Amino acid sequence: MKKIFVTSKLPGNAVDSLKKDFDVEIFDKHELPTKIEVQEGAKDAIAILSTVSNQIDKDIIDTCPNLIIISNFGVGFENIDVPYATEKRIYVTNTPGVLTETTADLAWALMFGVARRVVEGDSVVRKGQFKRWDPSFLLGMDVFGKTLGIYGLGRIGSAVGRRARGFNMRVIYVNKSRRLEAEEEIGCDFVDFPTLLGESDFLVITAPLTESTRGRFGLDEFKKMKRNSILINIARGPIVREKELVQALKKKVIWGAGLDVYENEPEVEKDLLGLDNVVLLPHLGSASFETRERMTEMAVENAKLALNGKVPVNLVNREVLKHRN
Ligand code: DGY
Protein backbone atom coordinates (compact mmCIF):
# COMPACT_ATOMS: atom_id res chain seq x y z
CA MET A 1 0.00 0.00 0.00
CA LYS A 2 1.12 3.53 -0.69
CA LYS A 3 2.10 5.60 2.28
CA ILE A 4 0.63 8.70 3.91
CA PHE A 5 2.61 10.48 6.62
CA VAL A 6 0.69 12.44 9.26
CA THR A 7 2.89 14.74 11.34
CA SER A 8 0.66 14.80 14.48
CA LYS A 9 -2.28 12.93 15.90
CA LEU A 10 -5.32 14.82 14.54
CA PRO A 11 -8.65 15.13 16.42
CA GLY A 12 -11.59 12.95 15.39
CA ASN A 13 -11.69 9.74 13.35
CA ALA A 14 -11.29 11.00 9.80
CA VAL A 15 -7.67 9.87 9.49
CA ASP A 16 -8.82 6.27 10.17
CA SER A 17 -10.83 6.36 6.95
CA LEU A 18 -7.54 6.49 5.01
CA LYS A 19 -6.29 3.27 6.53
CA LYS A 20 -8.17 0.84 4.31
CA ASP A 21 -6.49 2.13 1.14
CA PHE A 22 -3.19 3.46 2.43
CA ASP A 23 -0.40 2.70 4.83
CA VAL A 24 -0.90 5.57 7.28
CA GLU A 25 2.01 6.49 9.57
CA ILE A 26 1.16 8.97 12.31
CA PHE A 27 3.86 10.74 14.30
CA ASP A 28 1.95 10.62 17.56
CA LYS A 29 4.52 11.78 20.11
CA HIS A 30 3.66 14.89 22.10
CA GLU A 31 6.70 16.80 20.77
CA LEU A 32 6.88 18.14 17.25
CA PRO A 33 8.78 15.87 14.87
CA THR A 34 12.23 17.18 14.02
CA LYS A 35 13.10 17.92 10.43
CA ILE A 36 14.90 14.59 10.20
CA GLU A 37 11.91 12.76 11.63
CA VAL A 38 9.64 14.37 9.03
CA GLN A 39 12.10 13.44 6.28
CA GLU A 40 12.29 9.87 7.59
CA GLY A 41 8.51 9.53 7.86
CA ALA A 42 7.66 11.21 4.60
CA LYS A 43 10.34 9.92 2.26
CA ASP A 44 8.21 7.26 0.53
CA ALA A 45 4.92 9.03 1.11
CA ILE A 46 2.48 10.15 -1.56
CA ALA A 47 0.81 12.52 0.89
CA ILE A 48 1.85 14.48 3.96
CA LEU A 49 -0.79 15.70 6.38
CA SER A 50 1.04 18.50 8.16
CA THR A 51 0.07 21.15 10.68
CA VAL A 52 0.92 24.84 10.83
CA SER A 53 3.76 23.98 13.24
CA ASN A 54 5.71 21.82 10.77
CA GLN A 55 8.15 23.54 8.44
CA ILE A 56 7.77 21.75 5.13
CA ASP A 57 10.71 23.24 3.29
CA LYS A 58 12.70 22.51 0.15
CA ASP A 59 14.87 19.85 1.87
CA ILE A 60 11.84 17.92 3.05
CA ILE A 61 10.13 18.18 -0.33
CA ASP A 62 13.34 16.97 -1.98
CA THR A 63 13.36 13.81 0.13
CA CYS A 64 9.84 12.87 -1.05
CA PRO A 65 9.97 12.05 -4.76
CA ASN A 66 6.52 10.46 -4.79
CA LEU A 67 4.66 13.26 -3.06
CA ILE A 68 1.33 14.27 -4.63
CA ILE A 69 -0.10 16.48 -1.91
CA ILE A 70 0.82 18.39 1.24
CA SER A 71 -2.48 18.72 3.02
CA ASN A 72 -2.08 21.30 5.76
CA PHE A 73 -4.27 21.25 8.87
CA GLY A 74 -4.97 24.96 9.36
CA VAL A 75 -5.93 27.94 7.30
CA GLY A 76 -2.41 29.42 7.29
CA PHE A 77 0.21 27.72 5.13
CA GLU A 78 3.31 29.91 5.49
CA ASN A 79 4.99 26.87 7.05
CA ILE A 80 5.19 25.33 3.57
CA ASP A 81 7.50 26.33 0.74
CA VAL A 82 4.57 26.67 -1.63
CA PRO A 83 6.51 27.96 -4.68
CA TYR A 84 8.86 24.98 -4.47
CA ALA A 85 6.00 22.51 -3.98
CA THR A 86 4.35 24.03 -7.06
CA GLU A 87 7.53 23.63 -9.07
CA LYS A 88 7.61 19.98 -8.01
CA ARG A 89 3.95 19.57 -9.14
CA ILE A 90 2.73 18.96 -5.59
CA TYR A 91 -0.71 20.11 -4.49
CA VAL A 92 -0.82 22.24 -1.32
CA THR A 93 -4.14 22.56 0.50
CA ASN A 94 -5.45 24.15 3.69
CA THR A 95 -8.63 24.03 5.80
CA PRO A 96 -10.35 27.40 5.45
CA GLY A 97 -13.91 28.28 6.44
CA VAL A 98 -14.47 25.64 9.09
CA LEU A 99 -12.40 27.52 11.66
CA THR A 100 -13.66 31.02 10.94
CA GLU A 101 -16.30 31.35 13.66
CA THR A 102 -14.27 29.58 16.35
CA THR A 103 -11.26 31.80 15.73
CA ALA A 104 -13.46 34.91 15.78
CA ASP A 105 -14.87 33.75 19.14
CA LEU A 106 -11.34 33.60 20.50
CA ALA A 107 -10.64 37.17 19.41
CA TRP A 108 -13.63 38.20 21.50
CA ALA A 109 -12.50 36.04 24.41
CA LEU A 110 -9.22 37.96 24.36
CA MET A 111 -10.99 41.32 24.02
CA PHE A 112 -13.06 40.62 27.11
CA GLY A 113 -10.20 38.91 28.90
CA VAL A 114 -8.00 41.99 28.59
CA ALA A 115 -10.70 44.67 28.90
CA ARG A 116 -12.36 43.16 31.98
CA ARG A 117 -9.15 41.80 33.52
CA VAL A 118 -10.51 38.26 33.65
CA VAL A 119 -7.15 36.54 34.14
CA GLU A 120 -6.00 38.91 36.87
CA GLY A 121 -9.35 38.48 38.64
CA ASP A 122 -9.10 34.70 38.48
CA SER A 123 -5.63 34.83 39.95
CA VAL A 124 -6.75 37.07 42.85
CA VAL A 125 -9.44 34.55 43.81
CA ARG A 126 -7.10 31.54 43.52
CA LYS A 127 -4.49 33.23 45.70
CA GLY A 128 -7.08 33.83 48.45
CA GLN A 129 -6.75 37.59 47.98
CA PHE A 130 -10.48 38.28 47.50
CA LYS A 131 -11.21 39.79 50.90
CA ARG A 132 -13.97 42.28 50.15
CA TRP A 133 -15.81 43.98 47.30
CA ASP A 134 -13.98 47.22 46.58
CA PRO A 135 -15.41 50.03 44.42
CA SER A 136 -12.03 50.76 42.85
CA PHE A 137 -10.58 47.28 42.53
CA LEU A 138 -9.48 45.81 39.14
CA LEU A 139 -11.31 48.32 37.03
CA GLY A 140 -11.24 47.61 33.33
CA MET A 141 -12.54 48.99 30.07
CA ASP A 142 -16.05 48.85 28.64
CA VAL A 143 -16.46 46.93 25.44
CA PHE A 144 -20.03 47.98 24.66
CA GLY A 145 -20.31 51.07 22.48
CA LYS A 146 -16.60 51.32 21.62
CA THR A 147 -14.84 51.37 18.25
CA LEU A 148 -13.56 48.07 16.93
CA GLY A 149 -10.78 48.25 14.35
CA ILE A 150 -10.10 45.22 12.19
CA TYR A 151 -6.80 44.81 10.37
CA GLY A 152 -7.58 42.38 7.55
CA LEU A 153 -11.25 41.90 6.68
CA GLY A 154 -11.09 38.35 5.35
CA ARG A 155 -13.27 35.51 6.56
CA ILE A 156 -12.11 35.69 10.19
CA GLY A 157 -11.99 39.49 10.31
CA SER A 158 -15.56 39.67 9.02
CA ALA A 159 -16.72 37.15 11.63
CA VAL A 160 -15.06 39.24 14.35
CA GLY A 161 -16.83 42.33 12.98
CA ARG A 162 -20.25 40.65 12.75
CA ARG A 163 -20.18 39.95 16.48
CA ALA A 164 -19.75 43.65 17.24
CA ARG A 165 -23.39 44.35 16.39
CA GLY A 166 -24.52 42.86 19.67
CA PHE A 167 -22.26 45.29 21.49
CA ASN A 168 -23.40 48.38 19.65
CA MET A 169 -19.90 49.07 18.41
CA ARG A 170 -18.67 51.15 15.53
CA VAL A 171 -16.55 48.96 13.26
CA ILE A 172 -13.76 50.24 11.01
CA TYR A 173 -11.37 48.18 8.94
CA VAL A 174 -8.25 48.15 6.83
CA ASN A 175 -7.91 45.62 4.05
CA LYS A 176 -5.95 45.28 0.80
CA SER A 177 -9.16 46.16 -1.03
CA ARG A 178 -12.60 47.42 -0.07
CA ARG A 179 -15.18 44.77 0.80
CA LEU A 180 -18.54 46.28 -0.08
CA GLU A 181 -20.61 43.20 0.73
CA ALA A 182 -18.99 42.83 4.14
CA GLU A 183 -19.48 46.54 4.78
CA GLU A 184 -23.18 46.11 4.19
CA GLU A 185 -23.46 42.97 6.30
CA ILE A 186 -21.41 44.26 9.24
CA GLY A 187 -22.10 47.95 8.89
CA CYS A 188 -18.39 48.81 8.93
CA ASP A 189 -16.31 51.56 7.33
CA PHE A 190 -13.19 51.20 5.21
CA VAL A 191 -10.48 53.50 6.60
CA ASP A 192 -6.79 54.13 6.02
CA PHE A 193 -4.14 52.71 8.35
CA PRO A 194 -3.55 55.93 10.35
CA THR A 195 -7.32 56.21 11.01
CA LEU A 196 -7.45 52.59 12.13
CA LEU A 197 -4.62 53.26 14.58
CA GLY A 198 -5.99 56.56 15.81
CA GLU A 199 -9.66 55.65 16.25
CA SER A 200 -9.79 52.01 17.39
CA ASP A 201 -10.46 51.23 21.03
CA PHE A 202 -9.92 47.56 20.21
CA LEU A 203 -7.63 46.80 17.29
CA VAL A 204 -7.84 43.18 16.20
CA ILE A 205 -5.28 41.75 13.78
CA THR A 206 -6.77 39.12 11.49
CA ALA A 207 -4.60 39.56 8.38
CA PRO A 208 -2.45 36.78 6.97
CA LEU A 209 1.33 37.01 7.29
CA THR A 210 2.75 38.39 4.05
CA GLU A 211 5.74 40.53 3.15
CA SER A 212 3.56 43.62 3.60
CA THR A 213 2.06 42.65 6.97
CA ARG A 214 5.29 41.37 8.55
CA GLY A 215 6.41 43.75 11.32
CA ARG A 216 3.52 46.13 10.51
CA PHE A 217 2.83 46.92 14.19
CA GLY A 218 5.71 48.37 16.20
CA LEU A 219 6.34 51.22 18.62
CA ASP A 220 5.66 53.93 16.01
CA GLU A 221 2.24 52.45 15.36
CA PHE A 222 1.46 51.91 19.07
CA LYS A 223 2.26 55.58 19.70
CA LYS A 224 -0.44 56.51 17.21
CA MET A 225 -3.02 54.41 19.03
CA LYS A 226 -5.24 55.66 21.87
CA ARG A 227 -3.70 55.32 25.32
CA ASN A 228 -6.75 53.34 26.43
CA SER A 229 -6.72 51.02 23.45
CA ILE A 230 -6.27 47.27 23.38
CA LEU A 231 -4.40 45.33 20.71
CA ILE A 232 -5.44 41.77 19.91
CA ASN A 233 -3.43 39.46 17.65
CA ILE A 234 -5.05 36.18 16.62
CA ALA A 235 -3.41 36.07 13.18
CA ARG A 236 0.34 35.50 13.02
CA GLY A 237 2.99 36.58 15.53
CA PRO A 238 5.48 38.25 13.17
CA ILE A 239 2.91 40.91 12.22
CA VAL A 240 3.68 42.49 15.62
CA ARG A 241 7.20 43.41 16.73
CA GLU A 242 7.02 41.71 20.11
CA LYS A 243 9.90 43.55 21.82
CA GLU A 244 8.36 46.90 20.85
CA LEU A 245 4.98 45.73 22.14
CA VAL A 246 6.62 44.97 25.49
CA GLN A 247 7.94 48.55 25.63
CA ALA A 248 4.53 49.95 24.71
CA LEU A 249 2.80 47.88 27.40
CA LYS A 250 5.40 48.73 30.05
CA LYS A 251 5.19 52.45 29.35
CA LYS A 252 1.38 52.30 29.02
CA VAL A 253 1.57 53.64 25.47
CA ILE A 254 -1.48 51.41 24.95
CA TRP A 255 -3.64 50.00 27.72
CA GLY A 256 -3.38 46.31 27.06
CA ALA A 257 -2.96 43.45 24.63
CA GLY A 258 -4.22 39.95 24.03
CA LEU A 259 -2.04 37.57 22.07
CA ASP A 260 -2.72 34.11 20.72
CA VAL A 261 0.33 34.07 18.45
CA TYR A 262 4.00 35.03 18.83
CA GLU A 263 6.84 36.31 16.73
CA ASN A 264 9.01 33.23 17.34
CA GLU A 265 6.35 30.75 18.26
CA PRO A 266 6.33 28.71 20.47
CA GLU A 267 8.88 30.98 22.18
CA VAL A 268 7.39 33.99 23.91
CA GLU A 269 9.27 37.20 24.62
CA LYS A 270 10.25 36.75 28.30
CA ASP A 271 9.33 40.29 29.35
CA LEU A 272 5.74 39.73 28.27
CA LEU A 273 5.39 37.09 30.97
CA GLY A 274 5.82 39.60 33.78
CA LEU A 275 3.19 42.06 32.55
CA ASP A 276 -0.35 42.22 33.95
CA ASN A 277 -1.80 44.16 31.04
CA VAL A 278 -1.45 41.34 28.54
CA VAL A 279 -3.35 38.08 28.22
CA LEU A 280 -1.33 35.31 26.60
CA LEU A 281 -2.77 32.19 24.97
CA PRO A 282 -0.93 29.28 23.34
CA HIS A 283 -2.30 29.60 19.77
CA LEU A 284 -5.82 28.38 20.55
CA GLY A 285 -7.62 30.18 17.70
CA SER A 286 -9.32 27.15 16.19
CA ALA A 287 -9.09 24.95 19.29
CA SER A 288 -12.61 23.67 19.84
CA PHE A 289 -13.54 19.99 19.62
CA GLU A 290 -16.04 20.59 16.81
CA THR A 291 -13.78 22.78 14.71
CA ARG A 292 -10.65 20.70 15.04
CA GLU A 293 -12.62 17.58 14.00
CA ARG A 294 -13.93 19.43 10.95
CA MET A 295 -10.41 20.55 10.12
CA THR A 296 -9.25 16.92 10.19
CA GLU A 297 -12.14 15.90 7.93
CA MET A 298 -11.25 18.66 5.49
CA ALA A 299 -7.53 17.82 5.46
CA VAL A 300 -8.36 14.15 4.85
CA GLU A 301 -10.87 15.00 2.12
CA ASN A 302 -8.28 17.17 0.34
CA ALA A 303 -5.80 14.29 0.45
CA LYS A 304 -8.34 11.74 -0.80
CA LEU A 305 -9.29 13.90 -3.77
CA ALA A 306 -5.69 14.43 -4.80
CA LEU A 307 -4.81 10.75 -4.37
CA ASN A 308 -7.82 9.79 -6.48
CA GLY A 309 -6.62 11.93 -9.36
CA LYS A 310 -8.97 14.82 -8.66
CA VAL A 311 -8.21 18.47 -7.91
CA PRO A 312 -8.55 19.03 -4.14
CA VAL A 313 -11.16 21.61 -3.18
CA ASN A 314 -8.96 23.77 -0.95
CA LEU A 315 -6.03 24.11 -3.27
CA VAL A 316 -3.82 27.08 -2.37
CA ASN A 317 -1.38 26.74 -5.29
CA ARG A 318 -3.71 26.88 -8.29
CA GLU A 319 -0.65 27.40 -10.57
CA VAL A 320 0.23 23.75 -9.93
CA LEU A 321 -2.58 22.85 -12.32
CA LYS A 322 -0.56 24.28 -15.20
CA HIS A 323 2.39 22.08 -14.26
CA ARG A 324 0.22 18.99 -13.84
CA ASN A 325 -1.66 19.24 -17.19
C1 DGY B 1 -4.56 28.38 11.25
O1 DGY B 1 -5.36 27.58 10.77
O2 DGY B 1 -3.76 29.02 10.55
C2 DGY B 1 -4.64 28.57 12.72
O3 DGY B 1 -3.81 29.56 13.15
C3 DGY B 1 -4.41 27.27 13.44
O4 DGY B 1 -5.19 27.31 14.59
Side-chain angles (χ1 to χ4, degrees):
M1 279 204 282
K2 296 203 168 138
K3 182 172 171 184
I4 297 180
F5 181 61
V6 189
T7 60
S8 300
K9 193 166 168 4
L10 300 179
N13 304 322
V15 170
D16 292 343
S17 70
L18 293 167
K19 290 182 180 163
K20 72 174 175 25
D21 296 315
F22 301 98
D23 165 22
V24 179
E25 180 182 326
I26 303 173
F27 187 90
D28 64 0
K29 296 191 190 141
H30 182 66
E31 306 81 55
L32 278 179
T34 61
K35 182 166 175 168
I36 291 172
E37 284 169 326
V38 176
Q39 282 176 313
E40 230 357 84
K43 68 175 187 287
D44 312 315
I46 53 170
I48 301 179
L49 265 65
S50 52
T51 75
V52 294
S53 312
N54 309 119
Q55 291 307 318
I56 309 291
D57 60 12
K58 188 168 182 297
D59 299 338
I60 292 183
I61 293 172
D62 277 340
T63 46
C64 311
N66 305 324
L67 204 56
I68 297 172
I69 178 166
I70 303 166
S71 171
N72 213 38
F73 177 90
V75 67
F77 48 86
E78 69 286 332
N79 57 307
I80 300 171
D81 187 339
V82 178
Y84 193 63
T86 307
E87 204 182 303
K88 292 285 171 181
R89 307 172 69 240
I90 298 166
Y91 292 120
V92 179
T93 57
N94 66 346
T95 61
V98 290
L99 48 69
T100 300
E101 302 299 333
T102 303
T103 309
D105 284 347
L106 194 88
W108 279 82
L110 280 171
M111 283 166 62
F112 282 110
V114 180
R116 299 305 305 275
R117 308 181 70 170
V118 173
V119 178
E120 286 172 273
D122 178 89
S123 142
V124 164
V125 176
R126 285 173 199 273
K127 287 181 188 148
Q129 292 167 348
F130 179 36
K131 301 293 183 204
R132 66 184 176 99
W133 185 88
D134 180 327
S136 310
F137 183 53
L138 277 189
L139 303 189
M141 295 290 171
D142 276 337
V143 176
F144 186 87
K146 294 284 182 68
T147 296
L148 170 65
I150 301 175
Y151 180 72
L153 200 76
R155 273 182 287 250
I156 296 172
S158 303
V160 170
R162 236 183 290 122
R163 285 158 173 71
R165 281 196 168 177
F167 294 91
N168 197 26
M169 294 173 92
R170 171 184 175 228
V171 183
I172 55 179
Y173 75 98
V174 157
N175 197 52
K176 268 201 313 224
S177 56
R178 243 186 115 167
R179 302 255 342 263
L180 294 176
E181 245 175 63
E183 282 180 27
E184 197 156 320
E185 189 201 359
I186 299 165
C188 55
D189 295 321
F190 184 57
V191 295
D192 57 17
F193 192 54
T195 306
L196 186 86
L197 294 175
E199 296 190 9
S200 300
D201 296 301
F202 293 85
L203 201 165
V204 181
I205 302 175
T206 48
L209 178 64
T210 63
E211 276 327 298
S212 62
T213 63
R214 185 181 291 278
R216 191 71 182 97
F217 289 82
L219 198 53
D220 287 345
E221 286 69 34
F222 303 137
K223 283 182 180 157
K224 290 176 186 139
M225 290 171 66
K226 295 182 183 175
R227 286 192 90 84
N228 279 346
S229 64
I230 293 172
L231 180 84
I232 305 292
N233 189 5
I234 54 155
R236 285 295 181 259
I239 298 175
V240 174
R241 282 180 243 132
E242 222 162 87
K243 281 195 177 12
E244 296 180 34
L245 177 63
V246 168
Q247 287 182 49
L249 290 170
K250 274 190 180 160
K251 294 185 186 145
K252 303 277 187 323
V253 173
I254 60 172
W255 194 76
L259 304 177
D260 188 38
V261 288
Y262 303 89
E263 204 171 344
N264 299 305
E265 211 169 302
E267 269 168 47
V268 177
E269 186 57 41
K270 277 202 196 56
D271 285 351
L272 276 175
L273 305 179
L275 297 175
D276 286 338
N277 53 347
V278 62
V279 173
L280 305 169
L281 295 180
H283 202 149
L284 296 180
S286 59
S288 74
F289 289 106
E290 299 93 327
T291 291
R292 289 280 166 89
E293 286 187 18
R294 278 189 225 116
M295 288 166 69
T296 306
E297 286 161 15
M298 206 171 203
V300 165
E301 190 51 34
N302 284 327
K304 280 185 181 166
L305 285 170
L307 300 181
N308 286 316
K310 308 218 170 76
V311 176
V313 178
N314 308 109
L315 191 60
V316 299
N317 58 340
R318 293 234 137 247
E319 324 76 81
V320 77
L321 298 175
K322 286 189 225 135
H323 297 263
R324 294 190 67 87
N325 287 330

